[in-house]
């Protein structure tokens, strides 16, 4: 027997989080060189999220590139936005994990020691100058003309904060779902 109130609240919280993550994706993609109406972003994000259920993690980014290419968005812009989104989401997850560790009742998993260096590597990749260099190199190799977009530290910080909120909402949504069950 499911309790309807926490179940409905869970759905509402998850929906708000999903809308926030799609809007964050839209903002990142706009800065890396592509855009579409919000309605198309909602559709395409939903379709490409379904690809995560398929074996192999590469289906989600490949399907994003394919769908957005139909809208005239260059693959490099979609790829760059995907890298930024995933690194920021990973960093947000690391931040929440680090905040929760003092309250844990058991030791972190064996790979826990690698999380700090992985977070530092992600920060290094996202550094505006480093990211612009990597994007320029990728653009030359893929035959794209034009200067790569230069992301600012304030943009990255804002997107990071949004991803942190998305993960926190996911946790609240899961908690409410467990209450419903």
């Amino acid at each position: 027997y499911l309790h309807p109130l926490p179940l409905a609240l869970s759905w509402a919280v998850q929906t708000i989080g999903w809308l926030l993550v799609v809007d964050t994706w839209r903002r990142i993609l706009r800065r890396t060189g592509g855009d579409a109406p919000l309605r198309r972003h909602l559709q395409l994000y939903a379709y490409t999220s379904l690809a995560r259920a398929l074996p192999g993690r590469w289906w989600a980014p490949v399907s994003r590139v394919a769908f957005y290419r139909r809208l005239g968005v260059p693959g490099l812009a979609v790829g760059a936005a995907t890298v930024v989104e995933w690194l920021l989401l990973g960093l947000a997850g690391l931040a929440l994990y680090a905040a929760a560790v003092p309250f844990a009742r058991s030791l972190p998993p064996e790979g826990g020691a690698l999380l700090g260096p992985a977070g530092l590597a992600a920060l290094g990749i996202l550094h505006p100058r480093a990211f612009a260099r990597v994007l320029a190199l990728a653009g030359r190799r893929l035959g794209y003309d034009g200067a790569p977009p230069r992301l600012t530290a304030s943009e990255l910080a804002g997107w990071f904060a949004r991803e942190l909120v998305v993960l926190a909402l996911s946790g609240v949504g899961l908690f409410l779902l467990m209450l419903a069950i």
Side-chain angles (χ1 to χ4, degrees):
Y1 161 67
L2 292 174
H3 298 281
L5 181 60
L7 186 62
L9 289 173
S10 175
W11 179 83
V13 165
Q14 286 291 89
T15 300
I16 291 167
W18 187 77
L19 292 171
L20 181 59
V21 82
V22 173
D23 184 58
T24 303
W25 161 256
R26 181 181 64 89
R27 291 167 187 244
I28 295 169
L29 183 62
R30 185 182 305 145
R31 280 294 287 127
T32 60
D35 199 15
L38 180 59
R39 182 174 178 207
R40 289 297 287 161
H41 283 296
L42 292 168
Q43 291 170 333
L44 297 181
Y45 203 92
Y47 292 149
T48 59
S49 293
L50 290 173
R52 291 185 182 144
L54 299 172
R57 290 295 253 165
W58 56 277
W59 285 109
V62 167
S63 64
R64 270 194 193 176
V65 170
F67 276 121
Y68 278 97
R69 185 171 283 164
R70 290 178 148 182
L71 296 177
V73 178
L76 184 63
V78 178
T82 301
V83 168
V84 170
E85 179 192 37
W86 286 3
L87 288 175
L88 288 172
L89 190 59
L91 285 170
L94 283 174
L96 285 177
Y97 180 78
V101 165
F103 305 104
R105 294 192 174 145
S106 63
L107 295 174
E110 293 174 10
L114 298 175
L115 295 177
L120 290 175
L123 283 173
I125 293 168
L126 285 172
H127 187 279
R129 281 188 301 230
F131 190 74
R133 281 193 298 265
V134 169
L135 206 53
L137 176 65
R140 282 193 303 274
R141 289 193 175 254
L142 295 172
Y144 287 102
D145 294 330
R150 288 206 169 276
L151 306 178
T152 66
S154 62
E155 287 173 323
L156 291 166
W159 298 333
F160 170 78
R162 288 168 147 259
E163 297 291 2
L164 197 59
V165 169
V166 166
L167 290 180
L169 288 173
S170 293
V172 170
L174 180 61
F175 174 76
L176 289 168
L177 178 64
M178 293 297 108
L179 283 179
I181 293 172

